Amino acid sequence: MSEQGKGSSGAAAAAAAAPAAPGSDTYKGWLFKWTNYLKGYQRRWFVLSNGLLSYYRTQAEMAHTCRGTINLATAHIDTEDACNIVLSSGGRTYHLKASTEVERQRWVTALELAKAKAIRMMNDQSDDSGDEEPTSQSDRSELQGTLKILVSKLDDLSTCNDLIAKHGAALQRSLSELEGLKVPVEGGEKIKAVNERATLFRITSNAMINACRDFLDLAETHSRRWQRALQYEREQRTHLEETIEQLAKQHNSLERAWREAPTLASTTPKAPTTNKEGSERLPKEEASDDEDTEFFDAMEDSPAFITVTATESTQHRRSQSNLSGASGGQPSDWNQDNHMSPSYNDVSGKELQPRRQRRTHVPDKPNYSLNLWSIMKNCIGKELSKIPMPVNFNEPLSMLQRLTEDLEYHELLDKAARCDSSLEQMCLVAAFSVSSYSTTVHRTAKPFNPLLGETYELDRLEEYGYRSLCEQVSHHPPAAAHHVISQRGWTLWQEITIASKFRGKYLSIMPLGAIHLHFHSSGNHYVWRKVTSTVHNIIVGKLWIDQSGDIEIVNHRTKETCQLKFSPYSYFSRDVPRKVTGVVADSGGHAHFILSGTWDDKIESAKIVQSSRGGSGSEGKQKTVYQTLSPKLLWKKYPLPENAENMYYFSALALTLNEQEDGVGRTDSRLRPDQKLMEEGRWDEANSEKQRLEEKQRAVRRRREAEATDALDEECDYDSGKEYEGYQPLWFHQRRDSVTGETNFVYKGGYWEAKEKKDWSMCPDIF
């Protein structure tokens, strides 16, 4: 069948199948759509309009909820069998099924016609519009020339219309005169037939002339309106570009002005919104007042509770809770001996005098200018670990070292190990879980992705009584195992897999995996998971990081819990930025302590003495009112070292992590050459070395895959074949946790013994 015949029959079929469709450009009806292997095909209402095929669960959903849309202009239409239709476009595929073969054919015809029309419309639009605004004089001249040619062609069309009308009338008169002459009967019949054809030609010509005249009238009527609309859109685009550029300049000016006023923090040490050394609040915080930083007002976000102090007046409580770092000075009935005093952090975590003097600075970060958006714009929706990135966006630490930074406030666990009460211990564990985010507030640079088999040790046995070991146990997906043993009564282990997605405006980093903490004397076993980190302002402005989500800490021995909420930053919220709130409850769900603070500054706890049901909140839910004792300081962030802004905003611990030490394994991150070159400021050499290491790792992976293929082929030979195990980490192995039932990598021993023997012969050559 010809295309013309197919089109006419398809249009007739569509009209017969959907008589209620509003016009020939719209086609509606029920089809069955494949959903998944559990539900199979489900009945959905499909609407074909303007080259787009959309579907809904019901016809009523058309007014508010579209379940999906596919553009037919770029779609491929295929028919599998008598009733099935397969549509695919841009990675999206719809498997559809009609109730009958006739219905399927009607839909296919309608889809083909709609696709052809959509392609024509897309081509017309691409011809009529350019990608960029013609700002130069030559572009404007070219546009004016094109408009003149278009007007000339329209004039030619009008002239042709007049000529067709003139010559058609002359032909009609000549044929009429010829018909009036006396000619034989046979010739008269032929003349009559020619006259009829001329009449049809005249009618058709008149129709074309009328259509052309209507087109000319419409073009003349709307041309000026289109020109005004186009000019308006160009002006709006120019204004938007100027606005974004001006905002970026203002942002940079504010940042420079802030850096040029270093005495701000020292002049107002007790102000709740004062920036600490190296600390920087979000733009909105500059307009905050004192009331915005109160921790014990009604909390409108997630905690459905209100706290009031039982022993003090409200006014005195508010002024006391607003003192930054001074709220831990009063003893209470449960923390006179075991909880943090104001001077606890004054020694910067050094309970004992270190036997070795650690370094306090690294070479300043070079001022290389590189546009992040120019690289990231092609990576939207991709896994971050699979994007090759230059070291310009890194910091000279690996992900294993960043994981080790969780131990910066290990004293909290030392103190928790000495607690007799498991509820008090839970408060300190919760403060420790929050403290691990304090180093991220300025750390917008990306750590190095560890190579498979890369390790990192942190031996602080003589200074602080603990030893830490990390190993990269998987490359795709990237996973690291971590084990810490302390002589002061606790063991911590975790396996973390980093999942990350780039969304265009922001970057989401989602750590997957559980953190385990075991106290030796009591047997308490705590488990919790990390929250999501988000890097904002990828396109324009200064990068900043936010933490959001919930953490549930569970003591699997006593079944006590702690619910922590990290409130996401909102410009329209009156809450203090980076706010954290929590409740510690016993196994029966009865609350005993309230936790509050910010993840970049401090965490306080207040013991609950009485609770009652209060009034309704903003969402109509009844809130619980807790009467508490005065809040006590559990944890406070150490100030950043001097000149931290030029040293990647490293903390005192981070500055020592890449310091060279004798006796470490040859897979240790300290020995990674590209990372060392970057720390020394030789970034071009670091980029070259990074490419060499990555290519070396890919070659090893290809060789390992070839060995796996050979082993699979050998399995057919029962005499010589054996199962191929694949890559196995050197210091960790997979075991099932007896408490949680999960399977994860745990330390199997041998590393510290190998260090004592100075025997690293078993380590692979990865650098």
Side-chain angles (χ1 to χ4, degrees):
M1 181 183 292
S2 65
E3 294 298 325
Q4 182 180 0
K6 188 186 295 184
S8 60
S9 63
S24 59
D25 293 338
T26 303
Y27 190 82
K28 303 177 182 179
W30 291 100
L31 287 173
F32 292 90
K33 180 181 180 295
W34 175 262
T35 55
N36 52 53
Y37 285 100
L38 294 178
K39 297 183 179 180
Y41 283 95
Q42 296 293 317
R43 193 166 180 254
R44 297 289 184 262
W45 179 255
F46 281 81
V47 177
L48 175 60
S49 178
N50 296 326
L52 300 176
L53 180 66
S54 307
Y55 74 92
Y56 311 82
R57 286 186 178 176
T58 62
Q59 292 175 264
E61 278 193 348
M62 290 178 60
H64 52 84
T65 305
C66 177
R67 300 291 174 177
T69 300
I70 194 167
N71 188 353
L72 294 178
T74 58
H76 175 70
I77 304 174
D78 191 18
T79 53
E80 291 183 340
D81 52 30
C83 297
N84 284 31
I85 308 172
V86 179
L87 296 176
S88 57
S89 175
R92 178 179 300 177
T93 302
Y94 289 173
H95 293 270
L96 310 177
K97 181 186 290 186
S99 56
T100 63
E101 186 175 356
V102 175
E103 182 68 17
R104 193 281 305 266
Q105 186 57 43
R106 290 173 178 171
W107 272 103
V108 170
T109 304
L111 290 170
E112 292 286 0
L113 290 173
K115 177 181 178 180
K117 185 173 181 179
I119 292 175
R120 288 197 302 270
M121 293 175 60
M122 184 175 64
N123 292 336
D124 293 341
Q125 291 175 358
S126 63
D127 293 339
D128 294 340
S129 61
D131 292 335
E132 298 294 334
E133 179 184 355
T135 56
S136 65
Q137 185 64 32
S138 59
D139 292 334
R140 293 193 181 94
S141 301
E142 182 180 355
L143 179 60
Q144 294 296 331
T146 303
L147 292 176
K148 289 180 180 179
I149 294 174
L150 180 59
V151 172
S152 175
K153 294 297 182 183
L154 291 176
D155 292 338
D156 294 343
L157 182 59
S158 178
T159 303
C160 290
N161 287 338
D162 297 339
L163 290 175
I164 289 176
K166 178 181 178 180
H167 294 306
L171 177 60
Q172 188 69 39
R173 287 195 302 271
S174 299
L175 289 174
S176 299
E177 293 173 357
L178 183 59
E179 188 177 1
L181 297 177
K182 293 181 179 180
V183 294
V185 177
E186 183 178 355
E189 291 179 354
K190 290 183 178 180
I191 292 174
K192 186 177 181 179
V194 173
N195 194 13
E196 290 177 353
R197 290 190 178 95
T199 302
L200 291 175
F201 174 74
R202 179 177 58 83
I203 294 173
T204 304
S205 298
N206 289 335
M208 189 190 72
I209 291 171
N210 292 332
C212 292
R213 185 179 295 111
D214 293 341
F215 170 75
L216 286 172
D217 294 339
L218 185 63
E220 291 174 356
T221 302
H222 292 281
S223 62
R224 292 185 178 180
R225 182 185 305 172
W226 291 337
Q227 289 178 359
R228 289 195 300 268
L230 179 60
Q231 183 63 26
Y232 174 77
E233 293 297 332
R234 288 174 176 169
E235 293 174 354
Q236 290 296 104
R237 173 180 171 177
T238 302
H239 178 69
L240 180 60
E241 292 176 349
E242 292 175 352
T243 302
I244 293 177
E245 182 180 1
Q246 186 65 23
L247 286 174
K249 291 180 179 178
Q250 292 177 359
H251 189 95
N252 292 333
S253 299
L254 288 174
E255 183 181 352
R256 286 195 300 269
W258 179 83
R259 289 182 176 179
E260 291 171 359
T263 59
L264 178 62
S266 60
T267 54
T268 55
K270 294 186 177 182
T273 58
T274 297
N275 295 337
K276 304 295 182 293
E277 288 186 47
S279 178
E280 181 180 347
R281 291 292 184 181
L282 297 179
K284 186 189 173 185
E285 192 179 352
E286 297 174 2
S288 300
D289 54 24
D290 289 344
E291 293 183 355
D292 289 338
T293 61
E294 294 177 6
F295 291 144
F296 292 94
D297 287 336
M299 301 176 188
E300 296 291 342
D301 286 337
S302 69
F305 58 83
I306 303 173
T307 59
V308 295
T309 305
T311 59
E312 298 174 330
S313 65
T314 302
Q315 183 65 30
H316 177 66
R317 174 185 58 81
R318 287 183 174 177
S319 61
Q320 177 72 14
S321 65
N322 277 339
L323 293 177
S324 177
S327 56
Q330 302 295 329
S332 70
D333 59 341
W334 63 278
N335 62 0
Q336 290 181 0
D337 299 323
N338 290 332
H339 277 118
M340 199 174 296
S341 66
S343 59
Y344 191 90
N345 293 94
D346 292 346
V347 294
S348 300
K350 300 173 183 176
E351 292 181 339
L352 301 175
Q353 182 65 29
R355 299 184 182 181
R356 172 180 172 178
Q357 186 67 31
R358 305 285 178 180
R359 69 179 185 181
T360 58
H361 69 278
V362 296
D364 286 359
K365 178 181 178 181
N367 187 20
Y368 284 106
S369 60
L370 190 62
N371 186 4
L372 176 62
W373 176 244
S374 65
I375 294 178
M376 298 295 283
K377 65 182 179 182
N378 297 321
C379 307
I380 298 177
K382 296 182 180 179
E383 176 69 31
L384 183 64
S385 62
K386 297 181 180 180
I387 300 174
M389 300 283 285
V391 300
N392 305 56
F393 300 125
N394 286 27
E395 61 180 16
L397 291 178
S398 74
M399 181 59 73
L400 302 181
Q401 291 165 310
R402 285 289 291 268
L403 201 59
T404 306
E405 283 190 71
D406 289 356
L407 301 174
E408 179 148 13
Y409 299 93
H410 60 88
E411 320 85 15
L412 292 170
L413 301 184
D414 297 341
K415 205 169 195 58
R418 301 194 297 268
C419 284
D420 296 328
S421 168
S422 59
L423 290 171
E424 299 170 12
Q425 190 178 74
M426 174 70 83
C427 292
L428 289 167
V429 172
F432 174 79
S433 69
V434 175
S435 70
S436 62
Y437 298 98
S438 63
T439 61
T440 67
V441 63
H442 304 292
R443 304 274 289 279
T444 56
K446 175 181 175 291
F448 279 79
N449 290 330
L451 302 174
L452 185 62
E454 185 174 336
T455 61
Y456 181 75
E457 69 159 75
L458 188 67
D459 191 348
R460 296 291 189 266
L461 192 64
E462 296 180 353
E463 294 145 292
Y464 304 121
Y466 71 84
R467 278 176 163 176
S468 167
L469 176 66
C470 290
E471 181 179 5
Q472 187 78 359
V473 296
S474 173
H475 187 61
H476 285 306
H482 185 201
H483 182 268
V484 190
I485 180 71
S486 173
Q487 293 179 340
R488 299 179 183 179
W490 54 270
T491 302
L492 182 144
W493 67 96
Q494 59 182 319
E495 179 194 338
I496 298 296
T497 300
I498 301 297
S500 53
K501 288 292 184 180
F502 177 55
R503 305 296 185 183
K505 294 182 179 180
Y506 61 91
L507 178 70
S508 296
I509 303 171
M510 298 149 286
L512 308 176
I515 304 172
H516 296 257
L517 175 62
H518 178 258
F519 288 100
H520 305 163
S521 59
S522 64
N524 290 333
H525 188 149
Y526 297 89
V527 179
W528 70 92
R529 301 175 189 274
K530 290 180 176 289
V531 296
T532 299
S533 302
T534 306
V535 183
H536 294 272
N537 283 357
I538 297 295
I539 299 178
V540 64
K542 182 178 176 62
L543 297 176
W544 61 277
I545 290 183
D546 194 20
Q547 314 288 348
S548 60
D550 299 327
I551 292 180
E552 181 184 36
I553 307 176
V554 180
N555 184 342
H556 284 272
R557 188 184 73 84
T558 63
K559 307 304 178 184
E560 296 163 347
T561 61
C562 175
Q563 302 288 341
L564 291 173
K565 177 175 178 60
F566 289 65
S567 300
Y569 173 77
S570 173
Y571 184 82
F572 302 100
S573 174
R574 295 184 70 250
D575 280 331
V576 61
R578 311 182 184 104
K579 181 179 180 181
V580 179
T581 54
V583 177
V584 176
D586 58 23
S587 58
H590 302 293
H592 289 263
F593 293 96
I594 297 295
L595 304 178
S596 60
T598 58
W599 54 263
D600 68 321
D601 186 17
K602 64 179 179 180
I603 289 293
E604 296 176 327
S605 67
K607 186 173 183 180
I608 299 172
V609 295
Q610 186 177 353
S611 63
S612 60
R613 304 301 294 179
S616 299
S618 59
E619 298 179 357
K621 298 180 181 179
Q622 193 176 31
K623 292 193 173 185
T624 301
V625 178
Y626 292 123
Q627 288 186 343
T628 66
L629 298 178
S630 299
K632 305 301 176 184
L633 186 66
L634 292 178
W635 160 78
K636 185 167 181 58
K637 180 186 175 183
Y638 304 142
L640 288 176
E642 185 180 357
N643 196 36
E645 64 275 8
N646 295 321
M647 298 188 296
Y648 309 91
Y649 284 102
F650 280 174
S651 63
L653 174 63
L655 288 173
T656 68
L657 293 181
N658 217 30
E659 187 176 10
Q660 297 302 308
E661 293 189 10
D662 297 331
V664 299
R666 64 183 184 183
T667 56
D668 196 273
S669 298
R670 297 177 180 88
L671 306 178
R672 180 165 174 167
D674 54 347
Q675 191 170 296
K676 290 196 297 182
L677 288 170
M678 182 192 176
E679 184 181 83
E680 295 170 1
R682 299 152 63 184
W683 285 15
D684 292 336
E685 298 175 57
N687 276 317
S688 300
E689 192 66 19
K690 183 173 182 289
Q691 293 179 3
R692 183 190 68 81
L693 291 175
E694 291 172 348
E695 182 55 39
K696 182 178 180 179
Q697 181 172 238
R698 283 190 286 267
V700 173
R701 185 180 71 248
R702 288 192 293 266
R703 185 172 66 250
R704 191 178 295 118
E705 292 172 351
E707 293 174 356
T709 303
D710 295 341
L712 185 63
D713 294 338
E714 292 177 1
E715 287 183 5
C716 298
D717 185 358
Y718 295 98
D719 296 331
S720 61
K722 61 179 181 180
E723 185 178 356
Y724 181 75
E725 293 183 350
Y727 177 78
Q728 297 296 326
L730 192 57
W731 310 111
F732 291 79
H733 56 183
Q734 281 190 317
R735 289 294 183 268
R736 186 179 182 86
D737 189 88
S738 59
V739 175
T740 63
E742 298 178 347
T743 300
N744 47 30
F745 282 94
V746 296
Y747 180 58
K748 65 180 180 182
Y751 181 88
W752 304 109
E753 292 78 6
K755 184 177 181 180
E756 291 290 335
K757 298 177 183 178
K758 299 181 180 181
D759 179 15
W760 301 112
S761 58
M762 73 293 293
C763 294
D765 178 18
I766 62 175
F767 300 141

